[in-house]
């Protein structure tokens, strides 16, 4: 044992008289010889009696496992009372004592390392939001003016790689350069590739968008590749989040994802749509932002963040286990074989069907009926601060042993708002829209987005809680893949269904003839009728039929499957979800 001389700047410590142990205390300590072992004051380890439900195992500590019967004791053990904790802290400085006592109250302050990690995660998710906002948001709106819903459905396939990243996530988890880091080995090249594709597209975007019907498959291929590389980066970032943040603040990984992705998505979706609108540019006297210019900006940001990452050192993983690609695929299959994982994946696949028509078509219908793109942009800009607040609250509400609670509670508001939006489309006023209707639109959009953000944060926190850190990228990606797939796979069929259930007629006035038309939405459909000297009229809008089918399925699934199953899943001990740790 070594000693050091006191420093003149050292803070004074409170002293306490030594106390003699009572015979009862000595007897009690001797009756439990295996509960703790120590070689020095800093190596005391108390074996817990309850599972670590809200945290991953501490580095260097063995993970808790249930008893041989597999049943976790539902007992919360309080090792020290309030007075005992204060006596134990008596030899600390005032600052150390406050921090120590705060631990007993469940209040652990953010460390400087956690703060830096949160900033880094938000920026990395922000970069991912740029291509996603274009592929899933603004570009379909621009294409709607030229294409039918069936053709937009083809372009919507560009979002599928983000929902299928599970297929190559084991490669990302197991192949890397140790000199660079497990996660940076993938994040750095992916950002370079994304930036390069955006830079190339910036020079040809205007030509492609001038005649999207002719270049539909070229546009789809370009944005599909962007989403593919963004999805690959997301695998690495999800895995990195498990080791960047401390155990007590892991729930905030979902908050970082919410804030980062939503910000990037917002910039590429609503902000770009507004600045790209000629009416908005004329009204506010600002230059119109072209797609090419915005793609160039996104490419610059991607390159800048890549250079910044070169100066950030990645900590080594807590595990030294070298996992091959085959082993990761095997592990992924073992995860999928777990009964509760299979049930969770089914939940993800059907959880978002109830509002799919609203997410995929409602805003397109409002623009079709006369809502200006700049009005839509203003609506979402007002909504953005509420998304940030929702992401923070979701991280806060999802801490503890019931992270799915906000996800469950938000189902009914989302279904009710879906019905409200369907009525708003049906009774959409003739432009210009009134102030009262616009206020209703803004309020409903904020409520819908807030509920969606709460659900996203809750389910992401649950994924973080149950994922095995040894294969963190693969495990998180497996769960997030099915979450995204639940909102992606129905979109194509919803868009196709709108045209399928719609009935359009071409009224030729001169000949007093009514001819069936394919559709009256795209420029091609309208021009085909105009060439015959007629007016294209939609007599039955398939949007309402598709919306009713989705809402009906959503209500039944929530009542009889989703909520009861979610409550059972969050009661499963964390150890039951693990493979290695």
């Amino acid at each position: 044992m070594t000693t050091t001389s006191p420093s003149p700047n050292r803070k004074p410590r409170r002293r306490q008289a030594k106390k003699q142990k009572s015979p009862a205390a000595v007897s009690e300590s001797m009756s439990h010889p295996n509960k703790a072992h120590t070689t020095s004051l800093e190596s005391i380890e108390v074996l817990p009696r309850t599972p670590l439900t809200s945290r991953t195992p501490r580095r260097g500590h063995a993970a808790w496992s249930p008893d041989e019967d597999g049943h976790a004791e539902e007992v919360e053990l309080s090792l020290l009372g309030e007075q005992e904790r204060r006596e134990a802290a008596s030899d600390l400085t005032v600052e150390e004592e406050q921090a120590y006592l705060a631990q007993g109250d469940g209040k652990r302050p953010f460390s400087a390392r956690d703060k830096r990690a949160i900033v880094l995660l938000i920026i990395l998710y922000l970069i991912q939001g740029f291509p996603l906002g274009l592929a899933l948001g603004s570009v379909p709106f621009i294409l709607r003016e030229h294409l039918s819903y069936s053709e937009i459905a083809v372009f919507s396939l560009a979002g599928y790689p983000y929902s299928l990243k599970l297929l190559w996530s084991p490669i990302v988890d197991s192949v890397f350069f140790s000199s660079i880091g497990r996660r940076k080995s993938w994040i750095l090249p992916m950002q370079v590739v994304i930036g390069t594709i955006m830079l190339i597209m910036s020079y040809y975007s205007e030509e492609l968008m001038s005649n999207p019907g002719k270049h539909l498959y070229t546009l789809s291929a370009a944005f599909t590749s962007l989403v593919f590389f963004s999805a690959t980066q997301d695998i690495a970032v999800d895995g990195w989040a498990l080791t960047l943040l401390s155990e007590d603040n892991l729930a905030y990984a979902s908050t970082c994802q919410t804030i980062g992705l939503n910000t990037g998505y917002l910039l590429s979706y609503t902000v770009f749509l507004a600045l790209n609108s000629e009416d908005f540019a004329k009204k506010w006297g600002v230059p119109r932002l072209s797609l090419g210019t915005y793609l160039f900006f996104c490419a610059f940001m991607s390159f800048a963040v890549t250079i910044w990452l070169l100066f950030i050192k990645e900590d080594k993983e807590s595990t030294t286990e070298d996992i091959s690609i085959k082993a990761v695929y095997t592990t992924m299959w073992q995860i999928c074989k777990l009964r509760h994982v299979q049930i969770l994946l089914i939940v993800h696949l059907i959880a978002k069907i109830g509002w799919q028509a609203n997410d995929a078509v409602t805003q397109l219908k409002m623009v079709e009926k006369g809502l200006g793109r700049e009005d839509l942009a203003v609506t979402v800009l007002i909504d953005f601060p509420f998304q940030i607040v929702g992401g923070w609250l979701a991280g806060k509400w999802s801490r503890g042993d019931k992270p799915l609670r906000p996800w469950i509670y938000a189902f009914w508001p989302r279904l009710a708002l879906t019905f409200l939006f369907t009525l708003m489309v049906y009774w959409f006023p003739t432009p210009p829209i009134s102030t009262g209707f616009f206020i209703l639109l803004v309020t409903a959009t904020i409520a819908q987005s807030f509920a969606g953000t709460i659900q996203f944060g809750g389910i992401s926190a649950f994924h973080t809680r149950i994922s095995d850190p040894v294969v963190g990228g693969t495990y998180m990606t497996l769960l997030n893949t099915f979450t995204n797939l639940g909102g992606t796979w129905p979109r194509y069929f919803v868009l196709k269904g709108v045209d399928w259930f719609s009935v359009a007629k071409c009224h030729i006035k001169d000949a007093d003839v009514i001819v069936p038309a394919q559709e009256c939405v795209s420029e091609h459909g309208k021009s085909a009728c105009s060439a015959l000297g007629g007016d294209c009229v939609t007599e039955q809008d398939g949007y309402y039929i598709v919306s009713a089918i989705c809402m009906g399925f959503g209500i039944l699934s929530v009542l009889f499957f989703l909520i009861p199953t979610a409550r059972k899943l969050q009661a499963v001990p964390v150890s039951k979800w693990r493979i290695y740790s």
Side-chain angles (χ1 to χ4, degrees), residues 85-193:
R85 286 193 292 108
R86 293 191 178 277
E87 291 176 357
S90 60
D91 195 38
L92 303 176
T93 64
V94 175
E95 291 81 1
E96 291 172 340
E97 179 183 356
Q98 291 175 349
Y100 178 79
L101 294 175
Q103 292 182 6
D105 299 329
K107 301 175 182 177
R108 292 175 173 82
F110 278 104
S111 65
R113 183 179 184 276
D114 274 345
K115 292 177 181 178
R116 290 192 299 268
I118 287 175
V119 172
L120 174 60
L121 288 174
I122 290 176
I123 292 177
L124 291 176
Y125 283 121
L126 172 73
I127 296 300
Q128 292 174 212
F130 287 155
L132 294 178
L134 289 171
L136 305 179
S138 56
V139 173
F141 265 92
I142 298 174
L143 295 179
R144 194 221 60 81
E145 301 173 359
H146 309 281
L147 305 178
S148 67
Y149 285 104
S150 294
E151 290 172 317
I152 295 176
V154 174
F155 181 82
S156 71
L157 297 176
Y160 272 52
Y162 205 80
S163 301
L164 298 174
K165 55 189 176 180
L166 171 70
L167 299 178
W168 62 93
S169 63
I171 301 176
V172 179
D173 241 349
S174 56
V175 178
F176 61 95
F177 297 101
S178 57
S179 58
I180 300 177
R182 180 185 290 268
R183 310 305 175 185
K184 286 177 61 178
S185 295
W186 287 94
I187 295 174
L188 292 175
M190 290 305 102
Q191 289 191 166
V192 171
V193 172

Side-chain angles (χ1 to χ4, degrees), residues 203-214:
Y203 293 101
Y204 298 97
S205 59
E206 298 303 321
E207 177 185 349
L208 296 174
M209 297 300 291
S210 62
N211 190 356
K214 179 181 178 181

Side-chain angles (χ1 to χ4, degrees), residues 21 24-38 45-47 49 77 79:
K21 285 187 177 181
V26 173
S27 175
E28 182 179 356
S29 64
M30 294 179 64
S31 64
H32 301 282
N34 296 325
K35 291 298 180 182
H37 51 84
T38 177
E45 179 179 4
V46 180
L47 303 181
R49 294 176 58 191
L77 180 62
L79 296 176

Side-chain angles (χ1 to χ4, degrees), residues 405-454:
R405 181 168 47 190
W407 184 79
I408 292 173
Y409 289 165
F411 264 109
W412 295 116
R414 295 199 73 175
L415 290 172
L417 288 166
T418 297
F419 180 68
L420 175 61
F421 272 106
T422 305
L423 296 179
M424 291 173 66
V425 172
Y426 184 79
W427 282 305
F428 197 88
T430 303
I433 63 176
S434 64
T435 304
F437 187 86
F438 185 74
I439 292 175
L440 175 62
L441 176 61
V442 171
T443 304
T445 301
I446 291 174
Q448 179 197 43
S449 177
F450 184 81
T453 303
I454 292 297

